[in-house]
Amino acid sequence: MLAAWRQPRAILWTTAAVVGLGFLIVLEIAARHYGVPGPMANQVREVIFAPKSGPLLYAGMALMMVVLTWRQRFIAVGFAIGIDLVFLLVRWVLDAKMMFGNGALWVLLAYGVIAVTRRTGPERVLLLKGVGLGLLLVAGRKTGDTWLLITSKTRPLVLDQYLASADHALGNPSWVAGRIVEATGSIGAHVLDYVYIQLAVAAVVVTVYQLRNVAAERRFPGHHLVRTFLVIGLLGPAIYMIFPVVGPIFAYGTGAFGTGSEHLAVANLWPDTPPPIGNPQPMPFDELTPRNCMPSLHTAWATAIFIHSRKGPRVLRYAGTFWLIATLGATLGFGYHYGVDIVAGVVFAFTIDAALRAHDRGWDRHGIQLVAYGVTVFALLLVSYRYLPVEMSEYPWVFGPLLILAMASVVYGYMRTSKLWEPKAAVPAQRSEPEPQPELV
């Protein structure tokens, strides 16, 4: 056993687990410093109390079930629904908040206990990986909520005026999309809102397809969507701290969700009147609104779903395309993001997915060049948004195509390198002698 733990892969997984636990503890302490529970406390609370997102917990359970047999899956779903029905009945009697999802979390935790107490060897490792995958998806949501709180508390100044100026190079797409969403009425807004909120559930659908053979092969593939999803969520908030931005609806509108931040807005301009071109400056904002715009992580996640759905059946490819387009419509049309956020989010997603694929197959010259190029383009975008916004707004016919070209070049580089990484089809051996032909009668 000691020799097994000394293997490089075991050391890597152990190090990752220790670092992840330490990261959660640090976030928990930071959240407590601001008087709210952190990601670990919120997760423990949902064992009994109403969860924040029931669909997310069932999505996590669905990820775990890829390692189970069909009989075990039916049993797991039955127990989860039964537990939820009991919780709903008790909440109805006590007139408490009604929400499902506790049953899925109980099943996840139960299979973790089963893996430790009833499984051995590779079967234990496989089941623990499944449980860990499901819990990571849920923990990622809790961690993200804490990160957003930290951004609002530690970054009193926001850089929205810089992005609003730079956005003139793209024709102020958030203002255009906002008017289109208003014209569609409540139906279009509700559809986009559902797509925006349930992004993680869409990711699970694609991932379950990618992991459909895990139960039969008894192993996970080297690269799948959840890995990209989690890394995007882990690295993205660090950029929030470097480039704090609240979004058009807050900085140039009447606020949203009743935050009362409209008195801090530059002016009530969104979505009817594009912001004037001027001399951008950092501006103070409240301690409630998350600084979560640069880059657009919703765009990055939707882009990752689109990338990983390309090898699925036609209906999955169509769904991935729809989710990407609808997410772009929601992020812009609800005033959550500027157009330049979207460009940065696409570059961010393709670069991270390229890095994970290169790591999985072994770093080679093509992988190193692609990742280095993506990082360089992303860094240049941030520098341009911060130090050249006035020039970008004054010369939109120059900088607008340059932004689109920079994003397209990363996408093209990813596609070109991916084709080089695809396994070559076996060429049938040439026969040395011609086939004997039957004689004509």
Side-chain angles (χ1 to χ4, degrees):
M1 183 177 294
L2 183 61
W5 277 104
R6 288 176 177 172
Q7 295 297 321
R9 183 173 291 273
I11 295 174
L12 178 63
W13 278 104
T14 303
T15 303
V18 172
V19 171
L21 179 61
F23 179 67
L24 288 175
I25 293 174
V26 170
L27 286 182
E28 187 73 29
I29 295 173
R32 294 286 179 178
H33 174 71
Y34 294 112
V36 296
M40 300 174 69
N42 280 327
Q43 193 59 73
V44 172
R45 183 180 181 277
E46 290 186 352
V47 174
I48 300 297
F49 295 97
K52 183 176 181 180
S53 174
L56 182 66
L57 287 171
Y58 270 90
M61 187 183 73
L63 283 181
M64 180 273 297
M65 291 194 301
V66 298
V67 305
L68 305 180
T69 64
W70 278 106
R71 178 177 177 274
Q72 292 169 335
R73 291 170 185 172
F74 283 122
I75 293 175
V77 172
F79 269 103
I81 294 176
I83 294 171
D84 265 331
L85 289 176
V86 173
F87 270 96
L88 290 173
L89 179 61
V90 172
R91 287 174 184 143
W92 178 72
V93 172
L94 298 178
D95 196 23
K97 179 182 177 181
M98 301 296 286
M99 175 56 72
F100 63 95
N102 301 87
L105 182 57
W106 278 46
V107 169
L108 270 170
L109 298 175
Y111 269 102
V113 174
I114 292 172
V116 174
T117 60
R118 303 294 298 273
R119 299 287 190 271
T120 58
E123 290 298 315
R124 172 186 289 176
V125 174
L126 185 68
L127 185 52
L128 283 176
K129 284 184 178 180
V131 173
L133 196 64
L135 290 177
L136 275 176
L137 181 70
V138 179
R141 174 68 175 271
K142 305 299 180 187
T143 302
D145 292 342
T146 304
W147 258 122
L148 296 183
L149 171 70
I150 293 174
T151 63
S152 64
K153 299 295 185 181
T154 61
R155 292 296 180 266
L157 299 178
V158 298
L159 305 178
D160 282 77
Q161 293 185 29
Y162 293 86
L163 291 192
S165 296
D167 220 33
H168 282 279
L170 297 174
N172 304 108
S174 180
W175 272 255
V176 176
R179 293 194 293 270
I180 293 175
V181 170
E182 283 188 348
T184 61
S186 60
I187 296 178
H190 279 96
V191 171
L192 293 180
D193 184 59
Y194 181 82
V195 169
Y196 190 83
I197 293 174
Q198 301 300 340
L199 190 65
V201 177
V204 169
V205 172
V206 177
T207 305
V208 168
Y209 174 80
Q210 290 181 319
L211 305 181
R212 65 193 183 280
N213 296 324
V214 170
E217 298 175 355
R218 313 310 294 167
R219 65 180 181 85
F220 280 85
H223 180 51
H224 51 81
L225 176 57
V226 172
R227 296 179 65 194
T228 306
F229 225 72
L230 292 175
V231 174
I232 288 174
L234 180 65
L235 298 181
I239 313 299
Y240 293 165
M241 303 293 285
I242 299 172
F243 211 113
V245 181
V246 293
I249 186 64
F250 299 101
Y252 292 93
T254 57
F257 312 117
T259 59
S261 60
E262 57 271 12
H263 66 285
L264 296 171
V266 176
N268 186 9
L269 302 176
W270 188 91
D272 299 315
T273 307
I277 299 174
N279 184 25
Q281 299 290 333
M283 64 181 192
F285 218 76
D286 61 27
E287 295 185 357
L288 298 175
T289 308
R291 281 65 163 148
N292 61 340
C293 280
M294 177 54 65
S296 170
L297 293 196
H298 263 79
T299 298
W301 283 320
T303 301
I305 291 174
F306 175 80
I307 294 171
H308 285 261
S309 65
R310 294 305 88 194
K311 292 186 178 180
R314 181 177 299 178
V315 63
L316 196 64
R317 297 197 302 271
Y318 287 166
T321 304
F322 165 77
W323 222 269
L324 175 60
I325 295 174
T327 300
L328 294 178
T331 54
L332 293 173
F334 292 149
Y336 297 150
H337 289 281
Y338 303 90
V340 289
D341 305 344
I342 306 299
V343 173
V346 172
V347 173
F348 194 64
F350 273 96
T351 303
I352 288 178
D353 198 75
L356 292 174
R357 288 194 64 181
H359 176 75
D360 176 58
R361 69 182 309 278
W363 289 93
D364 59 7
R365 180 172 60 87
H366 299 290
I368 294 173
Q369 289 177 344
L370 175 60
V371 175
Y373 180 71
V375 171
T376 302
V377 170
F378 184 76
L380 288 175
L381 290 176
L382 293 185
V383 171
S384 300
Y385 300 159
R386 180 63 176 83
Y387 296 104
L388 296 175
V390 176
E391 290 78 4
M392 295 175 72
S393 61
E394 291 178 346
Y395 304 101
W397 294 107
V398 175
F399 285 95
L402 282 177
L403 289 176
I404 301 302
L405 182 62
M407 178 184 69
S409 66
V410 176
V411 176
Y412 173 75
Y414 179 92
M415 295 171 59
R416 186 164 177 255
T417 305
S418 297
K419 289 182 179 180
L420 297 176
W421 287 343
E422 293 296 334
K424 297 291 190 298
V427 179
Q430 298 288 337
R431 293 181 179 272
S432 57
E433 296 181 1
E435 290 275 356
Q437 298 294 328
E439 293 186 3
L440 297 176
V441 177

